[in-house]
Amino acid sequence: MAELGKTELDSGWLAARSTEVDLTGIQLTTTHPPSLNSSSSPWMEAVVPGTVLGTLLKNKLIPDPFYGLENDAILDIGDSGRDYYTFWFFTTFKCAPSGNQHVDLNFRAINYSAEVYLNGHKKILPKGMFRRHSLDITDILHPDGQNLLAVLVHPPDHPGNIPPKGGQGGDHEIGKDVAAQYVEGWDWMTPIRDRNTGIWDEVSIYVTGPVKIADPHLVSSFFDNYERVYLHATIELENRNDWVAECSLIIHVTTELVENACLV
Amino acid sequence: EQLQTQNLSIPPGAHIDYTFPQLFFYKPNLWWPNGMGKQSLYNVAITVEVKGYGESDSWSHQFGFRQIGSTIDNATGGRLFKVNGQPIFIRGGNWILSDGLLRLSKKRYQTDIKFHADMNFNMIRCWGGGLAERPEFYHYCDIYGLLVWQEFWITGDCDGRGDPVSNPNGPLDHDLFLICARDTVKLLRNHPSLALWVGGNEQTPPDDINKALKNDLKLHPYFESLNELSSTF
């Protein structure tokens, strides 16, 4: 039985430029998982969460873009094309849910779109830098062994070109996408060469029982000059089984009076 | 402070919304911005237990009781804020992001935000050309009492101005913008530091997006009628 709750996948990631990998996502997550064994391997240690540039910098494949004028030495996506900054990310994890447990693979944000492969199964993550993605992976897990996860991350659709003299938001093409716009450069910032492509926020697996809580909403209302206050809590609940779930919902509000002592 | 249990049957495969009966608090410690008082936080924990199974899922969050309102002052054109009924003089800092390679560690957020508090600021404005900031950013704003002015991803330069003039109807996919906006609101809405959503930087979003955002973010009529103090805002 797996422990309930969240486990972050923030270590052990590998990455490689997509144009240097001949294997498919299905092969990477079944018969040919990548490794760092060979010096000619295109794979490198990856920064997740982070961006492609962050990974390249970690591996000393680019100079530090924020030191001196070294950003000028990094190839801009407007010149290289999107494929140059389209990267594979790969990791493994273990998770052994019991019969009534469910497991989600959660991405809190990706820039800009992605294909996810887990143990040979493919899922598409839609576009948008500022959205969460949650995949129910219960039925495709290998409960007794390693789970192989590969993510092919595509840059924004309209990374744009940087005019010779720079300018506010470069050629403005990035404004066509739902993504951070500063990445084409501004009066305070040089252009970000990969446009912040990457798995830039938390990745996790999340284990629940038959019923899952989602997106709680807490609101307070105030009366009598803040003497009388009410807390209103709404939650979404999902029963993922084919039987009626008889549930007890418990809400518990505590405040810390002094260190480690709470009034209930 | 409060402990309440409710029983509920959920049909197979169903996805439902459930609202707890309201919980009453007498004179709770209020959350105040930096310089106006303590940043009192309550831990709200919600657990679902399933008969024959036990605990199925749980969630917890640091919640602050506070009421924030703002209006445009006709005399000056400036925006006036009140927190818990008290006017507040805003001393704000502009924020894009913590790092251009998005190495957004908790330690870095804590250091940056505490620095703003130490500068005696009480608001951070997250610029529309940058990020919808992450829950860890908001967590430390909750802790250090920094109100957050969060803009969506519209800028004048990329959405209607610039040289050559950019597309005022951008982004191309309005539905995608709203999907991202709604999901971002759900991600961040429970943080007491979250003070104001703004359509963009120096520009309003296209009409359809702007109307949808205004409609989705307006105070629910239930609270409009329920909350006797809302008229003071």
Side-chain angles (χ1 to χ4, degrees), chain B residues 129-172:
Chain B
L131 302 180
E133 268 299 352
R134 301 294 89 195
E136 291 76 16
F137 171 94
Y138 278 86
H139 170 73
Y140 288 110
C141 288
D142 296 344
I143 298 284
Y144 291 113
L146 272 301
L147 298 166
V148 184
W149 165 311
Q150 177 70 61
E151 296 178 2
F152 292 108
W153 319 286
I154 297 285
T155 68
D157 292 281
C158 288
D159 303 289
R161 296 205 302 269
D163 181 19
V165 174
S166 51
N167 177 17
N169 200 37
L172 295 181

Side-chain angles (χ1 to χ4, degrees), chain A residues 36-110:
Chain A
L36 295 174
N37 290 341
S38 155
S39 60
S40 60
S41 167
W43 293 90
M44 63 192 93
E45 291 182 11
V47 180
V48 175
T51 65
V52 168
L53 277 195
T55 287
L56 294 174
L57 179 61
K58 175 186 170 76
N59 290 278
K60 297 184 169 49
L61 295 172
I62 57 167
D64 188 330
F66 303 132
Y67 185 82
L69 296 177
E70 291 186 342
N71 194 51
D72 286 346
I74 304 172
L75 190 57
D76 190 86
I77 192 172
D79 300 319
S80 69
R82 293 174 67 248
D83 285 352
Y84 187 77
Y85 286 112
T86 300
F87 265 65
W88 280 106
F89 293 86
F90 177 88
T91 194
T92 62
F93 64 90
K94 290 187 173 178
C95 183
S98 67
N100 283 320
Q101 288 187 318
H102 294 261
V103 185
D104 290 324
L105 173 62
N106 293 328
F107 297 89
R108 213 166 59 179
I110 282 183

Side-chain angles (χ1 to χ4, degrees), chain A residues 216-258:
Chain A
H217 190 193
L218 305 176
V219 178
S220 44
S221 57
F222 303 90
F223 301 86
D224 304 335
N225 198 28
Y226 301 93
E227 283 193 355
R228 200 156 52 88
V229 176
Y230 295 92
L231 176 64
H232 310 260
T234 296
I235 56 175
E236 295 174 27
L237 292 163
E238 184 181 1
N239 179 4
R240 301 174 134 189
N241 288 277
D242 54 4
W243 38 269
V244 175
E246 301 294 341
C247 300
S248 295
L249 302 175
I250 302 149
I251 184 166
H252 186 191
V253 184
T254 57
T255 184
E256 199 171 80
L257 295 176
V258 292

Side-chain angles (χ1 to χ4, degrees), chain B:
Chain B
E1 291 279 335
Q2 283 281 3
L3 177 62
Q4 191 184 93
T5 302
Q6 302 290 324
N7 295 316
L8 184 69
S9 295
I10 307 178
H15 192 142
I16 64 165
D17 284 346
Y18 177 78
T19 300
F20 285 91
Q22 60 189 23
L23 300 176
F24 171 67
F25 292 80
Y26 177 70
K27 282 190 178 177
N29 296 320
L30 299 177
W31 183 93
W32 292 95
N34 184 34
M36 288 184 80
K38 288 181 68 175
Q39 290 74 53
S40 300
L41 293 168
Y42 289 74
N43 187 56
V44 179
I46 297 173
T47 305
V48 55
E49 294 178 355
V50 177
K51 189 175 178 182
Y53 176 84
E55 183 175 320
S56 179
D57 197 5
S58 65
W59 174 89
S60 69
H61 189 78
Q62 297 272 290
F63 182 73
F65 291 102
R66 95 285 186 265
Q67 188 181 40
I68 301 173
S70 71
T71 55
I72 301 292
D73 179 37
N74 289 332
T76 65
R79 185 173 286 273
L80 303 179
F81 285 85
K82 282 185 177 178
V83 179
N84 302 330
Q86 302 299 314
I88 174 174
F89 183 76
I90 297 295
R91 303 176 300 277
N94 194 31
W95 176 275
I96 315 295
L97 34 66
S98 189
D99 174 53
L101 300 186
L102 306 187
R103 296 166 291 193
L104 308 174
S105 68
K106 290 175 187 171
K107 185 170 175 23
R108 188 161 183 156
Y109 273 135
Q110 180 181 20
T111 305
D112 288 353
I113 290 162
K114 183 176 185 300
F115 184 47
H116 282 68
D118 289 344
M119 287 191 289
N120 205 25
F121 283 1
N122 53 27
M123 179 175 276
I124 294 179
R125 172 244 188 171
C126 296
W127 177 63
L131 302 180
E133 268 299 352
R134 301 294 89 195
E136 291 76 16
F137 171 94
Y138 278 86
H139 170 73
Y140 288 110
C141 288
D142 296 344
I143 298 284
Y144 291 113
L146 272 301
L147 298 166
V148 184
W149 165 311
Q150 177 70 61
E151 296 178 2
F152 292 108
W153 319 286
I154 297 285
T155 68
D157 292 281
C158 288
D159 303 289
R161 296 205 302 269
D163 181 19
V165 174
S166 51
N167 177 17
N169 200 37
L172 295 181
D173 189 339
H174 291 196
D175 289 339
L176 173 59
F177 187 97
L178 290 171
I179 286 169
C180 288
R182 289 177 178 127
D183 198 57
T184 298
V185 170
K186 286 185 175 180
L187 179 68
L188 302 174
R189 62 189 174 187
N190 294 317
H191 288 276
S193 55
L194 177 60
L196 187 69
W197 292 104
V198 175
N201 163 62
E202 300 176 9
Q203 187 80 317
T204 50
D207 270 353
D208 57 326
I209 291 179
N210 207 32
K211 283 178 182 161
L213 291 175
K214 283 184 170 182
N215 185 59
D216 286 7
L217 288 166
K218 71 186 178 191
L219 190 62
H220 192 282
Y222 175 71
F223 293 101
E224 196 88 56
S225 59
L226 183 76
N227 195 338
E228 65 179 20
L229 292 172
S230 62
S231 61
T232 65
F233 291 90

